Amino acid sequence: MDAIVHDGSDLTAEKIATLVAIERTGASMSMIAISMIALSYLVYPKLRTTPNTFLLFASIANAGASIASMIGYDGLMQGDESSLCQGQAFIFEWFMQADPWWSCAMACNVFLVFFCNVDPTTFPRYIWVYCLVCFGGPLIPAITLISIKDRSRGPVFGDATLWCWIGPNWSLVRLYAYYIPIWICIFLSIIIYIAVGYHVFRHRNRLRGAALHSLDKNGRLPSIQTTDVEDSTEEVRSLTVVVSFSMINDKCRYTPTESSTMERL
């Protein structure tokens, strides 16, 4: 089994066995972590927050990718057109891409909370929409690619060196059906988090500036002239939103800072 891979790779049987063992070990550890997430979510009601709900569904995508990884080289050993090989490639194309889609969905949730004043407790009501988009979106290219077969190049799903996926004869398809959608999700998530960070620090600095502007020479709030403080508070209040949107909190809520702004000032 020394002439190993059909795409020209010079991997020996020993190298492939080592890589497959590492791959299966990592997939097994991932499945253990996913099982712990699911068990904790089901056993402890306090952990059933909005962020943890989305994390659970993202873990389902990871579970699918881990199952495909645990198949390892067995699909290729049965042949490129075998059911095991085609199934492994289908799962890889579907679930490996669904994971960054869920990450992007959680970033979009943060955007809606900070910039659109959406109550995060309403997100679970539309979880079916998130599932339709994040699981259904990657499912479309997976179904399309498994259905395509060309006489000269063979099926799209085939030998990808260590597992079954999009074959080397269809390498350009990898770019458009897998990498570009993932890059879009990653880039969009980064842009959202940068915008949220800028939003938070900008309004924090405005609050501090309003507070310092309202202090007297002794560093205390004036006892008589409170009009300036109130005007500053009204200006800041219209722009400031504090969101307790933590994954470890047992409650996920949206709270306008009408009273807390006055306390800070």
Side-chain angles (χ1 to χ4, degrees), residues 174-197:
R174 298 179 181 180
L175 182 65
Y176 293 103
Y178 183 78
Y179 291 112
I180 288 181
I182 290 179
W183 291 341
I184 292 174
C185 291
I186 295 174
F187 181 75
L188 182 60
S189 299
I190 292 174
I191 293 298
I192 289 175
Y193 288 126
I194 291 175
V196 169

Side-chain angles (χ1 to χ4, degrees), residues 2 10 33 48 51 62 73 91 100 102-103 168 200-201 221 227 240 253:
D2 288 328
D10 58 351
R48 298 172 191 172
N62 277 306
Y73 201 74
I91 295 173
W102 277 104
S103 299
V200 171
F201 283 106
L221 288 173
T227 305
T240 307
R253 60 187 181 275

